[in-house]
Amino acid sequence: MPQPVSRHLAEGPRVGVRHFARADAAEFVARARASRELHRPWLFPPQTEREYAGYAGRLIDDPARAGFLVCDLGDGGIAGFVNINNIVGGAFQCGALGYGAFAHAAGRGLMREGLGLVVRHAFGAMGLHRLEINVQPGNAASIALARACGFRLEGYSPDLLFIDGAWRDHERWALTVEMVKPES
């Protein structure tokens, strides 16, 4: 008997990752609103369907970006998201990661599994060689996730990104394809 076709690009034991879709607006926005306290002051995902349309549209239509939803295989709901921004080809083959868990999924290890799946997809099907994460020093949860997924701390950049009305310092974390252990 044929197996059902998954809509996920990759699956682990508890999550699957798939691209953003415009049809995800209502669920994504509801989860973002419910997670506002968790995300602030680090992250500002879309809070309305109109904002989501622009946000998802850029991830879907811009070849220098790729957006992935981390979905709980138990209930199919969106647990979080991972975006690869500033994708550069040529000799660089690099992208900058941004990510966020939604409150109902935070602390359950779903984002660690999802980020791992996105990293493998980026280094495999997307052909990237390097992924970078810029994290504000006080964002302990994001730093813990980067470290848990094998990223190495490479440096500190004062006033790197303009977030919530001010230039914010960031730690720079990175991972190259050579640092990822092959699956057994």
Side-chain angles (χ1 to χ4, degrees), residues 126-161:
M126 293 178 70
L128 297 179
H129 175 260
R130 177 183 175 86
L131 293 169
E132 299 176 353
I133 300 171
N134 293 297
V135 182
Q136 292 179 60
N139 190 342
S142 188
I143 290 170
L145 179 57
R147 184 177 284 122
C149 288
F151 285 77
R152 68 178 169 224
L153 178 62
E154 290 191 335
Y156 185 82
S157 297
D159 300 327
L160 180 67
L161 295 172

Side-chain angles (χ1 to χ4, degrees), residues 80-81 83 95 110 115 120 124 128 139 158-159:
F81 55 95
N83 299 331
L110 301 178
L115 181 56
R120 291 194 184 282
L128 297 179
N139 190 342
D159 300 327

Side-chain angles (χ1 to χ4, degrees), residues 79-125:
F81 55 95
V82 180
N83 299 331
I84 307 176
N85 298 297
N86 307 323
I87 298 170
V88 178
F92 200 37
Q93 297 298 325
C94 183
L97 290 173
Y99 48 77
F102 289 126
H104 77 285
R108 296 176 38 209
L110 301 178
M111 284 303 296
R112 180 177 179 178
E113 187 178 321
L115 181 56
L117 292 170
V118 171
V119 164
R120 291 194 184 282
H121 180 74
F123 288 156

Side-chain angles (χ1 to χ4, degrees), residues 42-79:
W42 320 113
L43 190 60
F44 297 83
Q47 301 287 303
T48 68
E49 289 194 29
R50 182 181 175 132
E51 290 173 358
Y52 176 87
Y55 176 79
R58 289 185 296 276
L59 292 168
I60 293 166
D61 298 332
D62 184 347
R65 300 172 192 232
F68 303 91
L69 296 173
V70 177
C71 301
D72 185 327
L73 292 178
D75 63 13
I78 301 170

Side-chain angles (χ1 to χ4, degrees), residues 120 177-184:
R120 291 194 184 282
V177 69
E178 293 86 1
M179 295 167 60
V180 176
K181 295 177 182 147
E183 291 187 35
S184 315

